[in-house]
Amino acid sequence: MKVVFLSPTYPPEMRQFTRGLAEVGAEVLGVGDGDPDGELRRHLTDYLRVPSIMNEDDVIARVHAWLRGREVDRVLANWEPLMMLAARLRERFGVPGMAVDTVRGFRDKQLMKERVAAAGLRVPRAQRVRSVSDVWAAVETTGFPAIIKPISGAGSADTYKVADATELLRVLPRMGHVHEAICEEFIDGEEHTYDTVCIDGQPVYENIIRYIPNAIEMRSLEWVSPIMLSVRDLEDAKVAGGVALGRKVLTALGMDDGMTHMEWFRTSTGEAVFGEIACRAGGAMVVDMMNYTSDIDLFREWARVVTARRFEGSRERKYSVAVIFKRAQGQGRISAIVGLDAFLARFGAHVIEERLLRPGTPRRDWKNTLLSDGHIVLRHPSDEEATRMALAAAREIQMYAA
Ligand SMILES: Nc1ncnc2c1ncn2[C@@H]1O[C@H](COP(=O)(O)OP(=O)(O)O)[C@@H](O)[C@H]1O
Ligand SMILES: [Mg+2]
């Protein structure tokens, strides 16, 4: 099977998906604007380097010329900004897989909600906005507090919660560069993900991650140590509603083969409310967390699913997995880590990754990468124990920079 895979070099986990494709026997034809190193090259049959992978029309023309006379069986991507490019390439070359219109339902946050709502599912009230006057009209419907964000954003960029008209006035000038946005009713609830590997829209692997705190707070409050917690027991009443919602959303949007990443809120009344969904793997450490939950390799199983429509991983949920991201106090280089030794003395047996930046290393930009100044991964068979240890890591480990 010949597979075109977009951007094998970036983001970092794309290397793993490339490896997975090679391991299930696909010939991987990479297309990207990065420079694959020797190790990645081993998994690539060929590589087309383009000036900018974001320039869709240019990439389509170049791939067309490059592939002349060669048959390809799949065109795949697993990075949000390239999902539409992959769909356009599929349509152009008559390759099977999700069509442009289907992918739009996973990219355009207004269309997505309309399609999900049409299936009778609970979504936030929302309106597409293209101008300042659109925004004022939209908040008449959504009310305050409201959320305003790009129509097809990612990583909480340019996303604002506004409590009232005064705050909205302050935020509007900062949205000037966003051509199309969406205004939404603010949903007060605990945010979770619902992640899957699907064959023909039917999940063959499912996972729920709880965000502590919600993503918008992780991205706006520097002092917070964000926690992502992969829940072991999917039948727990706290998350079962999200699983049920997620399955219906996949059907409503016409999911095909591949991974999906949905976000939803559990309100204080226990209702599961749709947030958003993408037809690709979750970023940051989401796939690693699922791999640690079941001791499997979903990079490879994704590849098997999208090439052979078979899933051979275990669905057994062995652990609750927590990732805790840390941020140093102060600017410049990391100067000290306090509390780590004591934490490891208590919980070290459950820690499976400890990647806090060491003294002397420059701080990372926490606004740009959730990875922040390093992370700890731990796991435990009990959801309660994993949560307790994660909260302890958030509170008791401090990093400093100077
Ligand atoms: N309607 C909403 N109600 C409450 N919080 C929201 C709402 N929309 C977005 N958020 C918050 O903002 C974050 C980013 O919004 P999201 O639609 O997920 O955009 P992105 O594509 O950037 O991830 C969400 O994860 C959530 O924390
Ligand atoms: Mg999101």
Side-chain angles (χ1 to χ4, degrees):
M1 177 160 283
K2 287 196 178 59
V3 172
V4 171
F5 185 53
L6 303 180
S7 195
T9 58
Y10 186 85
E13 64 271 22
M14 297 304 136
R15 304 172 66 88
Q16 300 292 334
F17 289 114
T18 311
R19 167 187 60 79
L21 286 166
E23 283 175 359
V24 298
E27 280 184 36
V28 190
L29 312 174
V31 177
D33 52 20
D35 190 11
D37 58 24
E39 196 198 325
L40 186 56
R41 287 257 177 207
R42 283 199 297 120
H43 303 304
L44 293 168
T45 307
D46 199 355
Y47 184 72
L48 172 68
R49 185 154 185 187
V50 296
S52 165
I53 194 69
M54 296 301 165
N55 186 343
E56 288 192 6
D57 292 334
D58 179 66
V59 174
I60 291 170
R62 285 170 194 271
V63 170
H64 184 69
W66 179 60
L67 288 179
R68 192 158 291 153
R70 281 195 279 187
E71 290 279 314
V72 297
D73 303 291
R74 297 283 185 276
V75 179
L76 304 168
N78 240 332
W79 185 30
E80 188 68 4
L82 304 182
M83 302 316 289
M84 191 53 76
L85 172 60
R88 288 183 62 194
L89 284 165
R90 285 194 290 270
E91 282 200 358
R92 175 70 177 262
F93 303 133
V95 170
M98 280 158 68
V100 166
D101 181 65
T102 311
V103 172
R104 203 173 282 133
F106 289 88
R107 279 291 285 153
D108 181 305
K109 291 181 184 191
Q110 181 70 31
L111 185 63
M112 175 188 301
K113 275 189 272 288
E114 285 166 9
R115 291 181 180 177
V116 171
L121 305 171
R122 170 76 166 97
V123 304
R125 287 191 303 276
Q127 217 163 298
R128 185 189 304 274
V129 291
R130 294 198 177 93
S131 65
V132 168
S133 57
D134 281 359
V135 175
W136 289 110
V139 292
E140 295 286 317
T141 333
T142 61
F144 287 111
I147 287 275
I148 178 161
K149 63 191 181 186
I151 200 82
S152 49
S156 298
D158 303 304
T159 297
Y160 300 96
K161 176 186 178 187
V162 288
D164 51 34
T166 319
E167 277 190 24
L168 181 54
L169 269 176
R170 228 178 311 150
V171 158
L172 281 173
R174 290 188 242 162
M175 296 289 290
H177 63 285
V178 178
H179 297 297
E180 209 179 0
I182 183 166
C183 252
E184 290 185 14
E185 161 197 10
F186 178 79
I187 303 295
D188 191 4
E190 290 176 346
E191 194 171 11
H192 298 72
T193 73
Y194 168 70
D195 292 276
T196 75
V197 182
C198 279
I199 299 177
D200 207 12
Q202 300 297 314
V204 290
Y205 190 86
E206 297 174 299
N207 196 67
I208 296 256
I209 292 170
R210 161 110 186 261
Y211 292 152
I212 308 172
N214 289 4
I216 192 169
E217 276 103 37
M218 290 181 180
R219 295 285 185 170
S220 56
L221 302 171
E222 186 178 6
W223 60 268
V224 155
S225 297
I227 296 172
M228 292 171 68
L229 200 114
S230 169
V231 179
R232 182 182 180 194
D233 178 10
L234 296 188
E235 273 150 37
D236 185 324
K238 283 189 177 154
V239 298
V243 175
L245 171 70
R247 290 177 185 164
K248 291 180 191 150
V249 167
L250 296 171
T251 308
L253 293 179
M255 181 60 197
D256 182 2
D257 302 336
M259 294 179 85
T260 62
H261 176 61
M262 181 180 109
E263 289 167 336
W264 59 281
F265 303 91
R266 193 172 66 90
T267 68
S268 55
T269 63
E271 187 186 19
V273 181
F274 177 76
E276 65 154 346
I277 187 166
C279 52
R280 44 109 185 137
M285 298 198 55
V286 168
V287 179
D288 301 273
M289 292 178 74
M290 294 192 277
N291 288 342
Y292 283 134
T293 297
S294 298
D295 279 329
I296 50 178
D297 180 356
L298 286 186
F299 295 109
R300 189 170 55 213
E301 293 314 314
W302 164 81
R304 202 188 311 279
V305 159
V306 293
T307 56
R309 304 187 107 193
R310 270 201 335 273
F311 181 81
E312 293 181 5
S314 163
R315 289 180 191 83
E316 188 193 349
R317 305 187 65 76
K318 299 182 176 178
Y319 302 99
S320 173
V321 178
V323 184
I324 306 94
F325 301 97
K326 298 301 294 188
R327 290 152 179 178
Q329 299 168 46
Q331 300 306 319
R333 289 171 187 276
I334 304 298
S335 54
I337 306 177
V338 175
L340 179 61
D341 291 343
F343 180 83
L344 291 177
R346 276 164 73 203
F347 301 123
H350 307 288
V351 172
I352 44 181
E353 279 185 29
E354 186 273 289
R355 304 257 173 87
L356 301 183
L357 296 184
R358 288 308 187 243
T361 321
R363 282 199 66 190
R364 292 198 191 112
D365 179 359
W366 66 279
K367 285 247 177 208
N368 254 329
T369 166
L370 190 59
L371 289 179
S372 307
D373 295 321
H375 67 266
I376 291 173
V377 184
L378 53 84
R379 66 181 183 179
H380 194 282
S382 144
D383 285 321
E384 287 70 36
E385 279 304 299
T387 310
R388 197 170 70 86
M389 290 190 287
L391 291 171
R395 290 194 189 113
E396 295 165 20
I397 302 171
Q398 306 298 335
M399 295 177 71
Y400 296 89

